Amino acid sequence: MPRHTLRAGSTAVAVGLLTLGATPVGHADEAPETLKFSDYGKTVEVKPYTDYDYTGALATSAVNTGAQPLKDFKVTIDASAFQGQLSLSASDVPSPCVSKSESVLVCDSEKLDDGRPVPPGRHMRGIGFGLRTLPAARPGFSGQIRISAEKNGTVIGKTEIKTAVADIGPITDREGQGVSGVKPGAVLGTTAGFTQYSARGLDGVYVSASLSPGLSFTKEFSNCEYGDVGYGSGARCYVETPVEPGHAYDVDSFPFKVDGTALAEGWGVTVHAESSSSPKLSHSHRGDGPQLKLTERPSGPGDLRQGGASGSVGVDNTSDLQVLGAVVDGKAGQVVRAKLGVRNNGAAVLRQWFGSDPGDDPGVIVQVTVPPGTTAVDVPDRCKADGLPTSEPGHRVYWCYQDLYDTYFEVGQLTPYDFGLRIDKPSALAPGSVKLTRPKSDDNNKNNTAAVIVTVDGKLGDGSSPAPGGGSTGGSTGGSGSTGGTGSTTGGQDSAGASAAGGAGTPAPDHAPQGSMASTGSGPVAWYAAGAAVVLAVGAALFIAARRRRTS
């Protein structure tokens, strides 16, 4: 073929390709975005704690902004900027992603939503991934996690996530172990250590210690203040010792004694870079002993844990909770006051709540069954109707709790439950009951149930007198009803009256709240195909013309 013919043909093909916007083959090209990724808009800090599976758990999602359903694409998550700092792994189980290296994940759309295409205007299923710090990670190191989607070698969407290795400061890396079977009077101590996880050093650190009410400090350091922290005793200290970046230190032990009221106790030690992070003390005083010190640990950092160091102390001690019933008398239609309650007879102080917040996982629950023939018209706020989160009147069974703001149930403390009971049907009067349902048992179960008896002229519904309670009095006289009914509070003990009620001594129903307070068109492909046909036709015409010229 003559050169001028070849040049003309090549020029026509090139013009056609340029007109169509075609690109050379061999690298992923960019097209108008059809997958619009979500923008985090803030820096994600990856923390080095070892007590979580993924310390930087993230997810990415994108919406199909095109006009056609989208399928057969891949999403790449690239953390190569953090080589040697962070590791990248899939966090979904099962995951649509495969690890190509410690820093790269490739995720196949065929494994997203069972391979279903992403319709226009809809989001693809989110892809979860995790970032973990490596031992050589440098606090404060920052960069970008790059995320891109590709289809047939063309980039159809991308985004970046600003990421940094967190610069935290002191992090707990050594803590104590729980002990049990300890006798009152024993002397123990705390165990705590930390790593300075920061790019900067400190001139000193603030150390705080706290003890539950059954424990007390036996030595007070002179660089510490001691006082009440609201749930026991505490110390606030400043240790003026240089703390180097990345170095590990142990904190001197705080010795403490196990008191006579101890049962399920605990201690905590925290280390801070700022004084504002330390708990506030009331009735504080300065210690007069030696100084609290830090000792650098030659072995280096341990496992980095979130929060402070802590330890539990289980004490070999006794506990006795006693419920208080009542016997009240009145007339038909009258409202009588039944003053019920639960008292801690000791010897141990008990926890009111075992959850992270007041009202979570109560330590003491009392079930009150209203006597037949009466209606509860006035119910204490701390008592919730069976199956309901409220104290509304008119129900047969109530679950009663402790004060939300009392952390501990002190020895000798009485929690009252004052019910207003209206006598509606004297002929049906029968004993109700008050029963301790949590804890399930203590060292004296005989006083965990008591009767609630309402009479008219001293008689129950069948005209008989109530059976004697057999228990000691609660130490106070029951309140008068609003219309003159009177009564007395009786100590908790199984009695004939309680047995007659049928409610006392029976297990709590399965639905009773035990764990917490009762409920406390055509697209661009078609255009490219048409354009390709035109280019081929032009080339063929030029080739035929050249052959005819040679033949002639």
Side-chain angles (χ1 to χ4, degrees), residues 153-202:
T154 300
V155 176
I156 59 173
K158 61 182 179 179
T159 190
E160 293 180 343
I161 302 176
K162 297 177 183 178
T163 310
V165 179
D167 189 313
I168 299 175
I171 299 180
T172 298
D173 69 351
R174 183 179 177 223
E175 59 179 345
Q177 302 296 319
V179 296
S180 60
V182 178
K183 300 291 184 181
V187 176
L188 306 173
T190 64
T191 305
F194 69 95
T195 292
Q196 173 62 359
Y197 198 85
S198 175
R200 61 189 178 93
L202 298 170

Side-chain angles (χ1 to χ4, degrees), residues 194 203-209 217 219-227 234-243 250-255 270-272 275 278 281 284-295:
F194 69 95
D203 295 329
V205 292
Y206 295 87
V207 180
S208 302
F217 292 104
K219 180 170 68 175
E220 296 186 348
F221 297 102
S222 59
N223 54 341
C224 302
E225 289 186 352
Y226 293 82
R236 287 178 44 142
C237 317
Y238 179 67
V239 184
E240 192 172 1
T241 299
V243 172
D250 289 330
V251 181
D252 281 352
S253 175
F254 289 85
T270 57
V271 182
H272 308 283
S275 61
S278 301
L281 300 176
S284 63
H285 64 275
R286 190 64 134 179
D288 57 2
Q291 285 208 344
L292 180 72
K293 296 179 180 180
L294 306 179
T295 302

Side-chain angles (χ1 to χ4, degrees), residues 188-389:
L188 306 173
T190 64
T191 305
F194 69 95
T195 292
Q196 173 62 359
Y197 198 85
S198 175
R200 61 189 178 93
L202 298 170
D203 295 329
V205 292
Y206 295 87
V207 180
S208 302
S210 61
L211 303 177
S212 61
L215 308 176
S216 57
F217 292 104
T218 59
K219 180 170 68 175
E220 296 186 348
F221 297 102
S222 59
N223 54 341
C224 302
E225 289 186 352
Y226 293 82
D228 184 9
V229 291
Y231 50 86
S233 55
R236 287 178 44 142
C237 317
Y238 179 67
V239 184
E240 192 172 1
T241 299
V243 172
E244 301 296 332
H247 289 218
Y249 302 84
D250 289 330
V251 181
D252 281 352
S253 175
F254 289 85
F256 60 85
K257 179 182 177 181
V258 179
D259 299 333
T261 59
L263 185 64
E265 308 297 332
W267 58 265
V269 175
T270 57
V271 182
H272 308 283
E274 306 291 340
S275 61
S276 58
S277 301
S278 301
K280 300 296 184 290
L281 300 176
S282 60
H283 309 98
S284 63
H285 64 275
R286 190 64 134 179
D288 57 2
Q291 285 208 344
L292 180 72
K293 296 179 180 180
L294 306 179
T295 302
E296 186 168 354
R297 191 184 316 133
S299 59
D303 291 337
L304 304 178
R305 316 285 293 181
Q306 190 171 32
S310 62
S312 61
V313 181
V315 184
D316 187 5
N317 205 354
T318 60
S319 64
D320 177 24
L321 290 178
Q322 178 182 1
V323 295
L324 305 177
V327 178
V328 292
D329 189 76
K331 302 293 184 181
Q334 290 183 338
V335 176
V336 295
R337 310 302 302 188
K339 292 191 173 182
L340 315 175
V342 59
R343 182 172 60 213
N344 183 6
N345 292 335
V349 172
L350 303 177
R351 286 283 300 270
Q352 300 276 42
W353 311 100
F354 288 90
S356 57
D357 297 306
D360 290 346
D361 196 11
V364 178
I365 306 176
V366 171
Q367 177 190 4
V368 174
T369 302
V370 175
T374 70
T375 300
V377 296
D378 187 10
V379 181
D381 289 340
R382 288 194 293 267
C383 297
K384 308 304 178 184
D386 191 16
L388 296 175

Side-chain angles (χ1 to χ4, degrees), residues 95 117-118 121 506 511:
S95 175
V118 182
T506 59
H511 63 274

